């Protein structure tokens, strides 16, 4: 997509290391987080690790399955740098013939992703808002339109943009913990979810559930998210990686071309709608986010977060 060169330039300007493929090294295992998201012990020669600042990518060539682990504490917020790394990482995997599927998870305990980084939308220039929103669009276009099998292993709360990441995957598995929540709660911040957020949500849970949830800015507990179809399965935390691998194997058992064509048929109209109105959507975002009333709401929300931290 056309925005990729801009994303590459963004990496160069920001000093973020470009995604680089590391050859397998015998006797040295790639870094992995502790607990249930740790990949099983694989022969090191079959595992390649892509290194960058905010996302760890590991590709198991024997199965064709990669894992993208978000490692941007404290809450894996979708900053411009994070989104840039995400798009570059996903593009690398799309272009790698050894990769057929991706599991998305978090290396930060109790949080999958907190959603869009509020600081990117408050007190910045019009040019910055445009660059940021284009990166958000690019993330969704690449993930929702990916030809690979995509599984979200949601091992913590995932509001707003974090929920969009999970919604954009083919399958969602969430840890069975009522303290974890997920949903498009933008209305709580005085923000309107754009049409492509809405379309993705409607395609997952149906029109009525999506309408009610979006208007109320609802965050759904894990059991409720499962009940309304926002997530496909709930599992104990220690079983999350095992279940994600099993689901991935089930999807990869089908011929790629049939699955890919079916996925494209189901999602193409929604993707094409944003592509056709991309610049208009960016201008709508800039116009909306620049309003003083919205900026005031965002400042108040950030102040509230600061008080919670202190």
């Amino acid at each position: 997509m056309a925005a990729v060169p801009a994303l590459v330039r963004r990496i160069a300007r920001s000093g973020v290391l470009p995604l680089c493929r590391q050859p397998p090294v015998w006797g040295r295992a790639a870094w992995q987080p502790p607990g249930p998201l740790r990949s099983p012990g694989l022969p090191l020669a079959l595992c390649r690790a892509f290194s960058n600042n905010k996302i760890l990518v590991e590709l198991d060539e024997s199965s064709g399955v990669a894992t993208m682990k978000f490692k941007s504490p404290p809450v894996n917020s979708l900053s411009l740098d994070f989104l840039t790394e995400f798009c570059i990482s996903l593009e690398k995997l799309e272009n790698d013939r050894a990769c057929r599927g991706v599991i998305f998870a978090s290396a930060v305990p109790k949080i999958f992703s907190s959603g869009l980084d509020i600081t990117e939308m408050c007190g910045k220039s019009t040019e910055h808002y445009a660059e940021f929103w284009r990166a958000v669009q690019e993330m969704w276009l690449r993930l929702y339109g990916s030809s690979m099998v995509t599984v979200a292993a949601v091992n913590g709360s995932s509001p707003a943009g974090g929920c969009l990441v999970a919604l954009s995957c083919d399958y969602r598995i969430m840890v069975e913990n009522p303290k974890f929540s997920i949903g498009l709660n933008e209305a709580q911040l005085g923000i309107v979810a754009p049409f492509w957020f809405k379309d993705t949500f409607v395609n997952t849970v149906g029109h009525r559930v999506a309408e009610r949830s979006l208007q109320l800015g609802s965050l759904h507990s894990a059991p409720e998210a499962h009940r309304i179809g926002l997530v496909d399965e709930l599992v104990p935390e220690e079983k999350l990686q095992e279940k994600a691998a099993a689901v991935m194997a089930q999807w990869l058992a089908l011929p790629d071309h049939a699955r890919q064509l079916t996925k494209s048929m189901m999602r193409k109209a929604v993707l094409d709608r944003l592509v056709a109105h991309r610049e208009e959507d960016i201008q709508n975002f800039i116009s909306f986010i620049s309003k003083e009333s919205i900026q005031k709401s965002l400042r108040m929300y950030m102040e509230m977060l600061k008080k919670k931290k202190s």
Side-chain angles (χ1 to χ4, degrees):
M1 294 183 181
V4 172
L7 293 173
V8 175
R9 290 195 296 272
R10 169 70 188 168
I11 286 182
R13 290 201 307 271
S14 65
V16 178
L17 290 175
L19 191 67
C20 57
R21 182 178 303 169
Q22 298 176 342
V25 179
W26 286 98
R28 179 173 61 83
W31 176 87
Q32 297 188 61
L37 290 179
R38 182 178 177 85
S39 302
L42 295 167
L44 291 177
L46 299 180
C47 184
R48 284 190 273 136
F50 300 172
S51 175
N52 56 36
N53 291 339
K54 299 180 181 297
I55 300 174
L56 174 71
V57 185
E58 295 175 335
L59 172 59
D60 172 16
E61 291 185 312
S62 65
S63 65
V65 178
T67 303
M68 285 180 61
K69 296 170 185 171
F70 308 152
K71 57 181 186 79
S72 183
V75 290
N76 291 331
S77 59
L78 305 181
S79 64
L80 184 54
D81 285 344
F82 183 100
L83 292 166
T84 300
E85 290 190 15
F86 185 99
C87 291
I88 297 295
S89 299
L90 197 58
E91 183 190 26
K92 283 274 186 181
L93 294 175
E94 287 278 4
N95 293 332
D96 193 326
R97 292 186 178 181
C99 186
R100 299 174 62 210
V102 187
I103 297 172
F104 298 88
S106 170
V108 179
K110 301 180 181 179
I111 188 77
F112 182 70
S113 170
S114 65
L116 302 184
D117 189 336
I118 300 296
T119 64
E120 302 279 13
M121 300 184 285
C122 189
K124 298 292 196 300
S125 67
T126 298
E127 292 76 17
H128 182 88
Y129 294 148
E131 184 180 15
F132 175 65
W133 198 244
R134 189 177 297 278
V136 178
Q137 292 176 333
E138 188 70 20
M139 178 274 293
W140 178 76
L141 287 169
R142 286 195 167 276
L143 180 55
Y144 198 62
S146 175
S147 63
M148 299 181 292
V149 177
T150 53
V151 175
V154 184
N155 53 319
S157 291
S158 193
C163 177
L164 181 70
V165 173
L167 283 171
S168 302
C169 293
D170 297 315
Y171 202 85
R172 287 159 293 284
I173 309 164
M174 191 169 184
V175 168
E176 194 173 19
N177 187 332
K179 293 182 179 180
F180 294 160
S181 59
I182 185 171
L184 295 178
N185 64 320
E186 283 80 358
Q188 290 187 22
L189 305 180
I191 298 174
V192 178
F195 70 86
W196 39 287
F197 280 53
K198 180 267 297 181
D199 289 345
T200 310
F201 200 29
V202 169
N203 287 351
T204 303
V205 301
H207 193 279
R208 177 56 188 149
V209 171
E211 181 182 31
R212 183 174 65 244
S213 183
L214 286 170
Q215 288 196 49
L216 295 174
S218 300
L219 283 174
H220 305 279
S221 66
E224 185 181 4
H226 183 240
R227 181 180 61 80
I228 66 175
L230 179 49
V231 298
D232 297 296
E233 286 190 64
L234 298 179
V235 297
E237 189 166 5
E238 65 274 11
K239 298 288 187 180
L240 181 60
Q241 185 68 16
E242 178 184 342
K243 172 55 72 171
V247 168
M248 179 64 74
Q250 179 185 12
W251 284 60
L252 290 181
L254 278 72
D256 282 343
H257 69 280
R259 179 191 54 75
Q260 290 167 353
L261 288 172
T262 302
K263 182 175 182 176
S264 176
M265 176 179 63
M266 297 297 294
R267 299 190 174 193
K268 187 176 186 299
V270 177
L271 291 161
D272 286 350
R273 187 179 175 197
L274 177 58
V275 171
H277 299 282
R278 192 166 183 179
E279 293 305 319
E280 179 185 348
D281 182 62
I282 291 172
Q283 293 307 313
N284 287 340
F285 172 76
I286 293 172
S287 176
F288 180 80
I289 209 69
S290 299
K291 292 179 180 178
E292 180 52 35
S293 59
I294 302 302
Q295 288 291 303
K296 183 178 179 180
S297 294
L298 294 177
R299 287 194 298 267
M300 290 174 62
Y301 182 71
M302 287 194 295
E303 284 298 321
M304 181 189 71
L305 292 179
K306 288 180 182 178
K307 288 179 181 178
K308 281 186 177 182
K309 290 179 182 179
S310 59

